[in-house]
Amino acid sequence: MITLKRTTSDNPDFEKLVVQLDAYLRILDGDDHEFYAQFNKSSALKNALIAYENETPVGIGAYKEFENASEMKRMYVLPEHRGKGIATQILIELETWAKEEGYTISLLETGFMQKDAIALYTKLGYQRIENFGQYVGVDNSICMKKTLK
């Protein structure tokens, strides 16, 4: 059974999974990793979420404000727990939380190599948009947007 816990980025379980996420992204991003890493600092995220399976942390996600929208960040599920719908649960809960805080738009950025992530976001109603913020002009970035209802 999956349970979701709202927390902050200084939660030790969140921090442990961020280390694994960063190692995974280092492989996917290759030479571009340092560029992306500067925008993915997890410290001081006040809206972080941890997915637990039988009290074991198996996935994370978070959001922060970006120009009056919620920007989804740090989405990750341990490889051995993928395919169970955990990322879907995390993202839906983050969207719910963002709506509770008054956000009506959700934005995100992902790498073009993250095919599973792009498929998930598309399935959940995100549409590709022009790159925003620090991702303008970055060919490897895919930016997406969803109106929260």
Side-chain angles (χ1 to χ4, degrees):
M1 179 172 145
I2 300 298
T3 56
L4 302 174
K5 178 181 179 179
R6 292 180 181 187
T7 187
T8 61
S9 60
D10 61 357
N11 181 297
D13 288 338
F14 188 87
E15 291 175 340
K16 286 179 201 171
L17 287 177
V18 163
V19 170
Q20 294 182 56
L21 165 61
D22 287 341
Y24 172 72
L25 291 176
R26 193 170 291 112
I27 294 166
L28 276 184
D29 295 340
D31 292 340
D32 294 329
H33 181 71
E34 291 309 315
F35 171 79
Y36 288 110
Q38 69 181 322
F39 305 120
N40 288 319
K41 304 293 185 215
S42 295
S43 61
L45 288 171
K46 66 179 181 105
N47 301 94
L49 192 71
I50 306 169
Y52 291 90
E53 186 171 44
N54 302 322
E55 300 182 26
T56 300
V58 297
I60 56 172
Y63 72 88
K64 67 177 188 174
E65 183 171 317
F66 179 83
E67 296 182 358
N68 298 317
S70 58
E71 181 186 0
M72 299 301 158
K73 306 289 289 176
R74 313 306 347 216
M75 289 287 298
Y76 181 70
V77 174
L78 292 171
E80 62 270 24
H81 291 276
R82 294 179 186 163
K84 301 177 182 179
I86 296 169
T88 298
Q89 291 180 54
I90 291 170
L91 189 53
I92 289 171
E93 180 64 17
L94 287 171
E95 291 172 352
T96 299
W97 195 0
K99 286 187 289 188
E100 289 170 6
E101 291 200 335
Y103 294 101
T104 58
I105 300 292
S106 178
L107 300 172
L108 60 84
E109 180 277 339
T110 192
F112 79 100
M113 294 289 291
Q114 297 180 30
K115 305 296 185 197
D116 291 342
I118 294 166
L120 169 71
Y121 302 142
T122 301
K123 179 181 86 172
L124 292 178
Y126 285 80
Q127 296 181 334
R128 188 159 181 190
I129 59 170
E130 291 294 320
N131 287 7
F132 63 88
Q134 63 267 22
Y135 306 109
V136 171
V138 180
D139 293 337
N140 294 339
S141 287
I142 305 287
C143 290
M144 304 181 90
K145 176 181 177 180
K146 178 180 179 179
T147 300
L148 301 176
K149 298 177 183 179

